[in-house]
Amino acid sequence: MKNQRSLELVTGLFVLLGLAALVFLTTQLPGSKLAVLGDTAGYEVSARFENVGDLQAGAPVSMAGVKIGRVSRVVFDSTDYKAVVSMVLDERYQRIPDDSWAGIETAGLLGAKYVGLDAGGSETYLKSGSQIENTQSAMVLEKLINRLFSAFASKGSDSSEEKK
Amino acid sequence: MLRDVGAVALFLVRVLAACGPALRRPSLIVRQVYNSGARSLIIIMLCGVVVGMIMGLAFSDMLARFGSESALGVAAGLALLKELGPVLTALLFAGRAGTSLASEIGLMRATDQLTAMQVMAVDPMRNVVAPRFLGAVIAMPLLVAIFNILGIYGTQLIGVTVRGVDAGTFWSQMQNQLDVSDVGEGIAKSLVFGVICALMAVYQGYHAEPTAEGVGLATTRTVISSSVLVLVFDYILTAAFL
Amino acid sequence: MPVNPAVVEVRGVSYSAGPRQIFNGLDLAVRHGSITAVMGPSGTGKTTLLRLLTGQAYASAGSVRVLGQDVASLKRAELFALRRRMGMLFQNGALLTDLNVFENVAFPVREHARLPEPVLRRLVLMKLEAVGLRGAEQLMPQELSGGMARRVALARAIVMDPEVLIYDEPFVGLDPVSMGIIVRLIKRLNDALGITSIVVSHDVAEVGSIADYSYLLAGGKVVASGTTAELQASNDPSVRQFMQGTSDGPVSFHYPAGDYAGALLDSSDLPKGVRA
């Protein structure tokens, strides 16, 4: 009978573990809020973009190719129809000029979007609550292709006009 | 072959019928959840992590050729939740817990314990078979979930530390692309596979020849029949969910 | 209520297992309160007979009546009720391997009755005492010797106070001391508890010493019946061969084979030119 008690304990533990795993899988995995993974503390800055592509919360923020922070939130501002991206930058990097450019870049050819920062020349630096003014929106592939085609089309009509 | 299918189907009906009365003895079922589930935990966890790590290596290499390493989380998550988690766990389960169940029941058959129960007016289906069946069916989805979690962490471990995939990208991409229906498909499969493995194990054990070779044969048949049926039903379910 | 003198009545029973006919017109009866032996060479279907009595097998012809009821016509619940009035001792004990001795004996009671734990405990201890194993209550079946396991199985068989006790080859594989113990127990339980005992065995000497009446089965029928003394005095060659254990008689020593001299003198497997 003593055996029964410890057996029930272990079984209960197992069932709990399994249920916790199930709950985690169903709630945490599909598109929900993400707990920041072991990032060091940082300060929050924001930037507004015309188009962020499919930038996700949790995407990295890089400067000179080195990850210096993480995107914490992407929301839509219906007053000026822009995307507001909030980022948490690592505490260690305090000397980022406040006229730096923030652009939405793609990792690899078809990869995920991330935020790339290009240093400006200002003597004042970003601090908590700063807003990055100079932004470069994401290059959406379909729009690029459209522009390419229309460029070809107009070139074609130009040359045919010249012939006339 | 047709007779075997019929025999198994009839047996399943008998087992299900005995499950109702069996639920009045929860202590028996708890013990069987322990036997099938808790005792399989170590091997499932170990294999989960290793499979995840393998995927971390293999997928990140494959995806790098298309410049999509950032999709590692998605790839691993989908592969595990929908296919590898349920199928591999079921195969491991058949090998560890299935054979244990089959040999247990087979041995009881060989030593007349099942007959003795019948003579004592105790239904062995209710006392021996149904609790083991229920224990296995309960344990399987839990084991699959644990396998999946550890697999994803294993993939992240290798992907991030060895292959340089960004952790945030890993998780955020996965979260964005994965749907509750993907998780649901995995759970549905794990339930079906649980029934298959449990049924095969108790069927082979119950119908084993009452000799030493008979019990050994029963365990072999359990593994083979469980594995084949799991793969066949995996195809059927995958197609059904598309 | 008048007691039916025949606790078990088997009339004209035929039973086949596949192509083999095991019983062909079997007739026997077991009197209330007696120890009845069913003997016969190996393979005559003694165990099958027991399965017919417990309703685990059904005869293709004839009737099997136990405690006044026709076994074949009983519905499941009635069959279970009848089985509770019978106890059976299996050849190898058939103890449940994951329960200890106490729990094994308590098993039928726990399944069928709602006794308070203290009452159950005393009941089990009494039954264990009757077979002389009260001190072994905590042991597991794997730790018991063959004879002890069989005694525990006996305690389990009597724990629900059955009216009929069936013993399937209870003496097989026991040393002389254990055998003597079992023999004594069968007799004592039968007399003390007022039950009817059926002993299936081919240990002529052992079972003969306690049986009130014996049946000798061969070829699917009863070939002889009577008290031990009557059987010993019989002139029938099959009966004599069995009772005395002579190696050759109606049951022949040789498995049917061709001519012996011919087999040795056959030169077809010798090299050419050599003669046997």
Side-chain angles (χ1 to χ4, degrees), chain C residues 73-105:
Chain C
S73 67
L74 293 178
K75 291 198 281 287
R76 218 177 109 97
E78 295 168 331
L79 183 60
F80 270 35
L82 179 63
R83 285 182 185 165
R84 288 207 288 275
R85 297 163 69 186
M86 299 161 62
M88 186 150 160
L89 180 61
F90 289 84
Q91 203 165 315
N92 49 21
L95 296 178
L96 301 174
T97 43
D98 41 331
L99 301 177
N100 66 14
V101 165
F102 182 92
E103 287 302 323
N104 258 289
V105 179

PDB file of all heavy atoms in Angstrom, chain C residues 73-105:
ATOM      1  N   SER C  73     -27.362 -23.551 -20.370  1.00  0.00           N
ATOM      2  CA  SER C  73     -28.497 -22.669 -20.613  1.00  0.00           C
ATOM      3  C   SER C  73     -28.446 -21.408 -19.783  1.00  0.00           C
ATOM      4  O   SER C  73     -29.327 -20.563 -19.862  1.00  0.00           O
ATOM      5  CB  SER C  73     -29.799 -23.419 -20.302  1.00  0.00           C
ATOM      6  OG  SER C  73     -29.850 -23.664 -18.908  1.00  0.00           O
ATOM      7  N   LEU C  74     -27.400 -21.253 -18.970  1.00  0.00           N
ATOM      8  CA  LEU C  74     -27.354 -20.095 -18.089  1.00  0.00           C
ATOM      9  C   LEU C  74     -26.952 -18.836 -18.839  1.00  0.00           C
ATOM     10  O   LEU C  74     -26.105 -18.864 -19.725  1.00  0.00           O
ATOM     11  CB  LEU C  74     -26.352 -20.330 -16.954  1.00  0.00           C
ATOM     12  CG  LEU C  74     -26.728 -21.406 -15.952  1.00  0.00           C
ATOM     13  CD1 LEU C  74     -25.613 -21.548 -14.933  1.00  0.00           C
ATOM     14  CD2 LEU C  74     -28.025 -21.077 -15.257  1.00  0.00           C
ATOM     15  N   LYS C  75     -27.546 -17.713 -18.454  1.00  0.00           N
ATOM     16  CA  LYS C  75     -27.096 -16.434 -19.000  1.00  0.00           C
ATOM     17  C   LYS C  75     -25.864 -15.997 -18.210  1.00  0.00           C
ATOM     18  O   LYS C  75     -25.547 -16.549 -17.164  1.00  0.00           O
ATOM     19  CB  LYS C  75     -28.212 -15.392 -18.880  1.00  0.00           C
ATOM     20  CG  LYS C  75     -29.390 -15.673 -19.780  1.00  0.00           C
ATOM     21  CD  LYS C  75     -30.234 -14.422 -19.957  1.00  0.00           C
ATOM     22  CE  LYS C  75     -31.144 -14.194 -18.755  1.00  0.00           C
ATOM     23  NZ  LYS C  75     -32.264 -15.172 -18.758  1.00  0.00           N
ATOM     24  N   ARG C  76     -25.198 -14.965 -18.733  1.00  0.00           N
ATOM     25  CA  ARG C  76     -23.925 -14.552 -18.164  1.00  0.00           C
ATOM     26  C   ARG C  76     -23.981 -14.294 -16.659  1.00  0.00           C
ATOM     27  O   ARG C  76     -23.153 -14.793 -15.901  1.00  0.00           O
ATOM     28  CB  ARG C  76     -23.482 -13.265 -18.860  1.00  0.00           C
ATOM     29  CG  ARG C  76     -22.016 -13.162 -19.120  1.00  0.00           C
ATOM     30  CD  ARG C  76     -21.733 -11.889 -19.881  1.00  0.00           C
ATOM     31  NE  ARG C  76     -21.056 -10.919 -19.043  1.00  0.00           N
ATOM     32  CZ  ARG C  76     -19.750 -10.746 -19.034  1.00  0.00           C
ATOM     33  NH1 ARG C  76     -18.996 -11.492 -19.809  1.00  0.00           N
ATOM     34  NH2 ARG C  76     -19.203  -9.845 -18.259  1.00  0.00           N
ATOM     35  N   ALA C  77     -24.978 -13.539 -16.237  1.00  0.00           N
ATOM     36  CA  ALA C  77     -25.043 -13.200 -14.820  1.00  0.00           C
ATOM     37  C   ALA C  77     -25.296 -14.439 -13.982  1.00  0.00           C
ATOM     38  O   ALA C  77     -24.736 -14.600 -12.889  1.00  0.00           O
ATOM     39  CB  ALA C  77     -26.142 -12.166 -14.584  1.00  0.00           C
ATOM     40  N   GLU C  78     -26.148 -15.342 -14.514  1.00  0.00           N
ATOM     41  CA  GLU C  78     -26.432 -16.558 -13.759  1.00  0.00           C
ATOM     42  C   GLU C  78     -25.210 -17.447 -13.711  1.00  0.00           C
ATOM     43  O   GLU C  78     -24.933 -18.110 -12.706  1.00  0.00           O
ATOM     44  CB  GLU C  78     -27.601 -17.318 -14.418  1.00  0.00           C
ATOM     45  CG  GLU C  78     -28.914 -16.546 -14.372  1.00  0.00           C
ATOM     46  CD  GLU C  78     -29.965 -17.181 -15.271  1.00  0.00           C
ATOM     47  OE1 GLU C  78     -29.579 -17.805 -16.279  1.00  0.00           O
ATOM     48  OE2 GLU C  78     -31.160 -17.026 -14.968  1.00  0.00           O
ATOM     49  N   LEU C  79     -24.459 -17.483 -14.815  1.00  0.00           N
ATOM     50  CA  LEU C  79     -23.250 -18.295 -14.846  1.00  0.00           C
ATOM     51  C   LEU C  79     -22.243 -17.787 -13.823  1.00  0.00           C
ATOM     52  O   LEU C  79     -21.627 -18.556 -13.094  1.00  0.00           O
ATOM     53  CB  LEU C  79     -22.643 -18.266 -16.262  1.00  0.00           C
ATOM     54  CG  LEU C  79     -21.415 -19.131 -16.476  1.00  0.00           C
ATOM     55  CD1 LEU C  79     -21.734 -20.587 -16.212  1.00  0.00           C
ATOM     56  CD2 LEU C  79     -20.879 -18.965 -17.888  1.00  0.00           C
ATOM     57  N   PHE C  80     -22.112 -16.450 -13.776  1.00  0.00           N
ATOM     58  CA  PHE C  80     -21.200 -15.873 -12.787  1.00  0.00           C
ATOM     59  C   PHE C  80     -21.656 -16.234 -11.372  1.00  0.00           C
ATOM     60  O   PHE C  80     -20.846 -16.511 -10.497  1.00  0.00           O
ATOM     61  CB  PHE C  80     -21.126 -14.349 -12.971  1.00  0.00           C
ATOM     62  CG  PHE C  80     -20.038 -13.933 -13.921  1.00  0.00           C
ATOM     63  CD1 PHE C  80     -19.721 -14.713 -15.015  1.00  0.00           C
ATOM     64  CD2 PHE C  80     -19.329 -12.764 -13.728  1.00  0.00           C
ATOM     65  CE1 PHE C  80     -18.721 -14.339 -15.901  1.00  0.00           C
ATOM     66  CE2 PHE C  80     -18.330 -12.375 -14.606  1.00  0.00           C
ATOM     67  CZ  PHE C  80     -18.017 -13.163 -15.688  1.00  0.00           C
ATOM     68  N   ALA C  81     -22.968 -16.193 -11.146  1.00  0.00           N
ATOM     69  CA  ALA C  81     -23.485 -16.519  -9.815  1.00  0.00           C
ATOM     70  C   ALA C  81     -23.180 -17.972  -9.472  1.00  0.00           C
ATOM     71  O   ALA C  81     -22.821 -18.291  -8.333  1.00  0.00           O
ATOM     72  CB  ALA C  81     -24.984 -16.258  -9.762  1.00  0.00           C
ATOM     73  N   LEU C  82     -23.296 -18.844 -10.447  1.00  0.00           N
ATOM     74  CA  LEU C  82     -23.001 -20.258 -10.206  1.00  0.00           C
ATOM     75  C   LEU C  82     -21.516 -20.441  -9.907  1.00  0.00           C
ATOM     76  O   LEU C  82     -21.139 -21.181  -8.995  1.00  0.00           O
ATOM     77  CB  LEU C  82     -23.394 -21.103 -11.431  1.00  0.00           C
ATOM     78  CG  LEU C  82     -23.106 -22.601 -11.300  1.00  0.00           C
ATOM     79  CD1 LEU C  82     -23.920 -23.191 -10.167  1.00  0.00           C
ATOM     80  CD2 LEU C  82     -23.417 -23.335 -12.602  1.00  0.00           C
ATOM     81  N   ARG C  83     -20.679 -19.728 -10.676  1.00  0.00           N
ATOM     82  CA  ARG C  83     -19.233 -19.876 -10.468  1.00  0.00           C
ATOM     83  C   ARG C  83     -18.824 -19.438  -9.080  1.00  0.00           C
ATOM     84  O   ARG C  83     -17.829 -19.920  -8.531  1.00  0.00           O
ATOM     85  CB  ARG C  83     -18.464 -19.060 -11.507  1.00  0.00           C
ATOM     86  CG  ARG C  83     -18.457 -19.690 -12.872  1.00  0.00           C
ATOM     87  CD  ARG C  83     -17.627 -18.844 -13.800  1.00  0.00           C
ATOM     88  NE  ARG C  83     -17.683 -19.343 -15.171  1.00  0.00           N
ATOM     89  CZ  ARG C  83     -17.289 -18.656 -16.226  1.00  0.00           C
ATOM     90  NH1 ARG C  83     -16.831 -17.437 -16.055  1.00  0.00           N
ATOM     91  NH2 ARG C  83     -17.369 -19.171 -17.427  1.00  0.00           N
ATOM     92  N   ARG C  84     -19.561 -18.494  -8.511  1.00  0.00           N
ATOM     93  CA  ARG C  84     -19.198 -18.056  -7.164  1.00  0.00           C
ATOM     94  C   ARG C  84     -19.430 -19.141  -6.134  1.00  0.00           C
ATOM     95  O   ARG C  84     -18.887 -19.093  -5.039  1.00  0.00           O
ATOM     96  CB  ARG C  84     -19.972 -16.782  -6.789  1.00  0.00           C
ATOM     97  CG  ARG C  84     -19.485 -15.566  -7.536  1.00  0.00           C
ATOM     98  CD  ARG C  84     -19.749 -14.308  -6.753  1.00  0.00           C
ATOM     99  NE  ARG C  84     -21.155 -13.959  -6.715  1.00  0.00           N
ATOM    100  CZ  ARG C  84     -21.754 -13.270  -7.673  1.00  0.00           C
ATOM    101  NH1 ARG C  84     -21.072 -12.874  -8.730  1.00  0.00           N
ATOM    102  NH2 ARG C  84     -23.027 -12.981  -7.559  1.00  0.00           N
ATOM    103  N   ARG C  85     -20.275 -20.136  -6.491  1.00  0.00           N
ATOM    104  CA  ARG C  85     -20.521 -21.235  -5.558  1.00  0.00           C
ATOM    105  C   ARG C  85     -19.538 -22.375  -5.771  1.00  0.00           C
ATOM    106  O   ARG C  85     -19.607 -23.399  -5.093  1.00  0.00           O
ATOM    107  CB  ARG C  85     -21.952 -21.748  -5.733  1.00  0.00           C
ATOM    108  CG  ARG C  85     -22.994 -20.697  -5.394  1.00  0.00           C
ATOM    109  CD  ARG C  85     -24.348 -21.051  -5.938  1.00  0.00           C
ATOM    110  NE  ARG C  85     -24.918 -22.212  -5.252  1.00  0.00           N
ATOM    111  CZ  ARG C  85     -26.055 -22.804  -5.623  1.00  0.00           C
ATOM    112  NH1 ARG C  85     -26.718 -22.352  -6.658  1.00  0.00           N
ATOM    113  NH2 ARG C  85     -26.526 -23.842  -4.965  1.00  0.00           N
ATOM    114  N   MET C  86     -18.624 -22.199  -6.724  1.00  0.00           N
ATOM    115  CA  MET C  86     -17.623 -23.218  -6.986  1.00  0.00           C
ATOM    116  C   MET C  86     -16.246 -22.642  -6.720  1.00  0.00           C
ATOM    117  O   MET C  86     -16.018 -21.447  -6.885  1.00  0.00           O
ATOM    118  CB  MET C  86     -17.691 -23.657  -8.456  1.00  0.00           C
ATOM    119  CG  MET C  86     -19.012 -24.260  -8.849  1.00  0.00           C
ATOM    120  SD  MET C  86     -19.273 -24.247 -10.624  1.00  0.00           S
ATOM    121  CE  MET C  86     -17.963 -25.255 -11.192  1.00  0.00           C
ATOM    122  N   GLY C  87     -15.350 -23.508  -6.335  1.00  0.00           N
ATOM    123  CA  GLY C  87     -13.969 -23.089  -6.187  1.00  0.00           C
ATOM    124  C   GLY C  87     -13.109 -23.995  -7.034  1.00  0.00           C
ATOM    125  O   GLY C  87     -13.431 -25.167  -7.219  1.00  0.00           O
ATOM    126  N   MET C  88     -12.041 -23.451  -7.595  1.00  0.00           N
ATOM    127  CA  MET C  88     -11.192 -24.290  -8.449  1.00  0.00           C
ATOM    128  C   MET C  88      -9.735 -24.078  -8.130  1.00  0.00           C
ATOM    129  O   MET C  88      -9.278 -22.946  -7.975  1.00  0.00           O
ATOM    130  CB  MET C  88     -11.469 -23.963  -9.916  1.00  0.00           C
ATOM    131  CG  MET C  88     -10.748 -24.876 -10.865  1.00  0.00           C
ATOM    132  SD  MET C  88     -11.705 -25.043 -12.371  1.00  0.00           S
ATOM    133  CE  MET C  88     -10.429 -25.598 -13.475  1.00  0.00           C
ATOM    134  N   LEU C  89      -9.032 -25.204  -8.028  1.00  0.00           N
ATOM    135  CA  LEU C  89      -7.602 -25.134  -7.791  1.00  0.00           C
ATOM    136  C   LEU C  89      -6.888 -25.532  -9.069  1.00  0.00           C
ATOM    137  O   LEU C  89      -7.073 -26.623  -9.572  1.00  0.00           O
ATOM    138  CB  LEU C  89      -7.212 -26.079  -6.650  1.00  0.00           C
ATOM    139  CG  LEU C  89      -5.731 -26.085  -6.301  1.00  0.00           C
ATOM    140  CD1 LEU C  89      -5.299 -24.712  -5.843  1.00  0.00           C
ATOM    141  CD2 LEU C  89      -5.463 -27.091  -5.200  1.00  0.00           C
ATOM    142  N   PHE C  90      -6.083 -24.624  -9.611  1.00  0.00           N
ATOM    143  CA  PHE C  90      -5.414 -24.886 -10.879  1.00  0.00           C
ATOM    144  C   PHE C  90      -4.113 -25.623 -10.669  1.00  0.00           C
ATOM    145  O   PHE C  90      -3.508 -25.585  -9.612  1.00  0.00           O
ATOM    146  CB  PHE C  90      -5.134 -23.579 -11.619  1.00  0.00           C
ATOM    147  CG  PHE C  90      -6.367 -22.947 -12.162  1.00  0.00           C
ATOM    148  CD1 PHE C  90      -7.150 -22.137 -11.377  1.00  0.00           C
ATOM    149  CD2 PHE C  90      -6.763 -23.182 -13.464  1.00  0.00           C
ATOM    150  CE1 PHE C  90      -8.299 -21.567 -11.864  1.00  0.00           C
ATOM    151  CE2 PHE C  90      -7.906 -22.608 -13.964  1.00  0.00           C
ATOM    152  CZ  PHE C  90      -8.684 -21.804 -13.166  1.00  0.00           C
ATOM    153  N   GLN C  91      -3.652 -26.251 -11.730  1.00  0.00           N
ATOM    154  CA  GLN C  91      -2.451 -27.057 -11.660  1.00  0.00           C
ATOM    155  C   GLN C  91      -1.260 -26.270 -11.147  1.00  0.00           C
ATOM    156  O   GLN C  91      -0.477 -26.754 -10.348  1.00  0.00           O
ATOM    157  CB  GLN C  91      -2.137 -27.567 -13.068  1.00  0.00           C
ATOM    158  CG  GLN C  91      -1.312 -28.788 -13.076  1.00  0.00           C
ATOM    159  CD  GLN C  91      -1.357 -29.412 -14.451  1.00  0.00           C
ATOM    160  OE1 GLN C  91      -2.413 -29.523 -15.051  1.00  0.00           O
ATOM    161  NE2 GLN C  91      -0.218 -29.808 -14.952  1.00  0.00           N
ATOM    162  N   ASN C  92      -1.084 -25.047 -11.614  1.00  0.00           N
ATOM    163  CA  ASN C  92       0.069 -24.286 -11.148  1.00  0.00           C
ATOM    164  C   ASN C  92      -0.331 -23.176 -10.183  1.00  0.00           C
ATOM    165  O   ASN C  92       0.388 -22.207 -10.017  1.00  0.00           O
ATOM    166  CB  ASN C  92       0.811 -23.696 -12.342  1.00  0.00           C
ATOM    167  CG  ASN C  92      -0.141 -22.986 -13.288  1.00  0.00           C
ATOM    168  OD1 ASN C  92      -1.232 -22.605 -12.884  1.00  0.00           O
ATOM    169  ND2 ASN C  92       0.252 -22.833 -14.536  1.00  0.00           N
ATOM    170  N   GLY C  93      -1.465 -23.335  -9.573  1.00  0.00           N
ATOM    171  CA  GLY C  93      -1.861 -22.348  -8.568  1.00  0.00           C
ATOM    172  C   GLY C  93      -2.554 -21.151  -9.191  1.00  0.00           C
ATOM    173  O   GLY C  93      -3.581 -20.709  -8.708  1.00  0.00           O
ATOM    174  N   ALA C  94      -1.983 -20.608 -10.263  1.00  0.00           N
ATOM    175  CA  ALA C  94      -2.547 -19.439 -10.933  1.00  0.00           C
ATOM    176  C   ALA C  94      -2.793 -18.294  -9.972  1.00  0.00           C
ATOM    177  O   ALA C  94      -3.841 -17.661  -9.992  1.00  0.00           O
ATOM    178  CB  ALA C  94      -3.841 -19.809 -11.668  1.00  0.00           C
ATOM    179  N   LEU C  95      -1.815 -18.006  -9.111  1.00  0.00           N
ATOM    180  CA  LEU C  95      -1.932 -16.837  -8.253  1.00  0.00           C
ATOM    181  C   LEU C  95      -1.647 -15.591  -9.080  1.00  0.00           C
ATOM    182  O   LEU C  95      -0.880 -15.633 -10.033  1.00  0.00           O
ATOM    183  CB  LEU C  95      -0.916 -16.922  -7.108  1.00  0.00           C
ATOM    184  CG  LEU C  95      -1.104 -18.072  -6.128  1.00  0.00           C
ATOM    185  CD1 LEU C  95      -0.003 -18.056  -5.094  1.00  0.00           C
ATOM    186  CD2 LEU C  95      -2.460 -18.000  -5.456  1.00  0.00           C
ATOM    187  N   LEU C  96      -2.273 -14.486  -8.705  1.00  0.00           N
ATOM    188  CA  LEU C  96      -2.041 -13.237  -9.419  1.00  0.00           C
ATOM    189  C   LEU C  96      -0.692 -12.688  -9.008  1.00  0.00           C
ATOM    190  O   LEU C  96      -0.447 -12.422  -7.838  1.00  0.00           O
ATOM    191  CB  LEU C  96      -3.159 -12.241  -9.099  1.00  0.00           C
ATOM    192  CG  LEU C  96      -4.554 -12.747  -9.476  1.00  0.00           C
ATOM    193  CD1 LEU C  96      -5.608 -11.794  -9.002  1.00  0.00           C
ATOM    194  CD2 LEU C  96      -4.644 -12.955 -10.974  1.00  0.00           C
ATOM    195  N   THR C  97       0.177 -12.518 -10.000  1.00  0.00           N
ATOM    196  CA  THR C  97       1.577 -12.264  -9.670  1.00  0.00           C
ATOM    197  C   THR C  97       1.861 -10.882  -9.096  1.00  0.00           C
ATOM    198  O   THR C  97       2.894 -10.699  -8.466  1.00  0.00           O
ATOM    199  CB  THR C  97       2.467 -12.431 -10.917  1.00  0.00           C
ATOM    200  OG1 THR C  97       1.804 -11.800 -12.022  1.00  0.00           O
ATOM    201  CG2 THR C  97       2.685 -13.889 -11.225  1.00  0.00           C
ATOM    202  N   ASP C  98       0.972  -9.916  -9.286  1.00  0.00           N
ATOM    203  CA  ASP C  98       1.327  -8.632  -8.682  1.00  0.00           C
ATOM    204  C   ASP C  98       0.658  -8.383  -7.344  1.00  0.00           C
ATOM    205  O   ASP C  98       0.688  -7.280  -6.822  1.00  0.00           O
ATOM    206  CB  ASP C  98       1.084  -7.459  -9.652  1.00  0.00           C
ATOM    207  CG  ASP C  98      -0.207  -7.622 -10.429  1.00  0.00           C
ATOM    208  OD1 ASP C  98      -0.610  -8.769 -10.664  1.00  0.00           O
ATOM    209  OD2 ASP C  98      -0.787  -6.607 -10.795  1.00  0.00           O
ATOM    210  N   LEU C  99       0.057  -9.442  -6.776  1.00  0.00           N
ATOM    211  CA  LEU C  99      -0.515  -9.303  -5.441  1.00  0.00           C
ATOM    212  C   LEU C  99       0.209 -10.247  -4.492  1.00  0.00           C
ATOM    213  O   LEU C  99       0.627 -11.330  -4.896  1.00  0.00           O
ATOM    214  CB  LEU C  99      -2.006  -9.683  -5.455  1.00  0.00           C
ATOM    215  CG  LEU C  99      -2.923  -8.879  -6.374  1.00  0.00           C
ATOM    216  CD1 LEU C  99      -4.334  -9.439  -6.298  1.00  0.00           C
ATOM    217  CD2 LEU C  99      -2.917  -7.430  -5.964  1.00  0.00           C
ATOM    218  N   ASN C 100       0.314  -9.842  -3.216  1.00  0.00           N
ATOM    219  CA  ASN C 100       0.951 -10.767  -2.280  1.00  0.00           C
ATOM    220  C   ASN C 100      -0.056 -11.831  -1.834  1.00  0.00           C
ATOM    221  O   ASN C 100      -1.199 -11.844  -2.272  1.00  0.00           O
ATOM    222  CB  ASN C 100       1.560 -10.021  -1.092  1.00  0.00           C
ATOM    223  CG  ASN C 100       0.498  -9.365  -0.220  1.00  0.00           C
ATOM    224  OD1 ASN C 100      -0.690  -9.648  -0.320  1.00  0.00           O
ATOM    225  ND2 ASN C 100       0.936  -8.504   0.669  1.00  0.00           N
ATOM    226  N   VAL C 101       0.414 -12.733  -0.966  1.00  0.00           N
ATOM    227  CA  VAL C 101      -0.411 -13.866  -0.563  1.00  0.00           C
ATOM    228  C   VAL C 101      -1.747 -13.407   0.009  1.00  0.00           C
ATOM    229  O   VAL C 101      -2.817 -13.880  -0.393  1.00  0.00           O
ATOM    230  CB  VAL C 101       0.359 -14.738   0.461  1.00  0.00           C
ATOM    231  CG1 VAL C 101      -0.576 -15.689   1.165  1.00  0.00           C
ATOM    232  CG2 VAL C 101       1.464 -15.495  -0.239  1.00  0.00           C
ATOM    233  N   PHE C 102      -1.685 -12.458   0.920  1.00  0.00           N
ATOM    234  CA  PHE C 102      -2.913 -11.983   1.562  1.00  0.00           C
ATOM    235  C   PHE C 102      -3.877 -11.443   0.514  1.00  0.00           C
ATOM    236  O   PHE C 102      -5.063 -11.786   0.486  1.00  0.00           O
ATOM    237  CB  PHE C 102      -2.575 -10.891   2.580  1.00  0.00           C
ATOM    238  CG  PHE C 102      -3.773 -10.369   3.319  1.00  0.00           C
ATOM    239  CD1 PHE C 102      -4.151 -10.924   4.531  1.00  0.00           C
ATOM    240  CD2 PHE C 102      -4.545  -9.335   2.800  1.00  0.00           C
ATOM    241  CE1 PHE C 102      -5.272 -10.455   5.204  1.00  0.00           C
ATOM    242  CE2 PHE C 102      -5.658  -8.871   3.461  1.00  0.00           C
ATOM    243  CZ  PHE C 102      -6.024  -9.430   4.668  1.00  0.00           C
ATOM    244  N   GLU C 103      -3.369 -10.580  -0.356  1.00  0.00           N
ATOM    245  CA  GLU C 103      -4.230  -9.949  -1.353  1.00  0.00           C
ATOM    246  C   GLU C 103      -4.788 -10.962  -2.330  1.00  0.00           C
ATOM    247  O   GLU C 103      -5.904 -10.814  -2.830  1.00  0.00           O
ATOM    248  CB  GLU C 103      -3.454  -8.863  -2.105  1.00  0.00           C
ATOM    249  CG  GLU C 103      -3.197  -7.620  -1.282  1.00  0.00           C
ATOM    250  CD  GLU C 103      -4.484  -6.996  -0.784  1.00  0.00           C
ATOM    251  OE1 GLU C 103      -5.484  -7.003  -1.534  1.00  0.00           O
ATOM    252  OE2 GLU C 103      -4.497  -6.533   0.368  1.00  0.00           O
ATOM    253  N   ASN C 104      -3.996 -12.002  -2.630  1.00  0.00           N
ATOM    254  CA  ASN C 104      -4.489 -13.041  -3.534  1.00  0.00           C
ATOM    255  C   ASN C 104      -5.702 -13.743  -2.943  1.00  0.00           C
ATOM    256  O   ASN C 104      -6.703 -13.954  -3.614  1.00  0.00           O
ATOM    257  CB  ASN C 104      -3.393 -14.075  -3.813  1.00  0.00           C
ATOM    258  CG  ASN C 104      -2.756 -13.872  -5.170  1.00  0.00           C
ATOM    259  OD1 ASN C 104      -3.371 -14.125  -6.199  1.00  0.00           O
ATOM    260  ND2 ASN C 104      -1.541 -13.383  -5.167  1.00  0.00           N
ATOM    261  N   VAL C 105      -5.587 -14.110  -1.662  1.00  0.00           N
ATOM    262  CA  VAL C 105      -6.707 -14.797  -1.020  1.00  0.00           C
ATOM    263  C   VAL C 105      -7.888 -13.850  -0.880  1.00  0.00           C
ATOM    264  O   VAL C 105      -9.045 -14.245  -1.009  1.00  0.00           O
ATOM    265  CB  VAL C 105      -6.289 -15.353   0.357  1.00  0.00           C
ATOM    266  CG1 VAL C 105      -7.457 -16.045   1.030  1.00  0.00           C
ATOM    267  CG2 VAL C 105      -5.131 -16.322   0.200  1.00  0.00           C
TER     268      VAL C 105
END
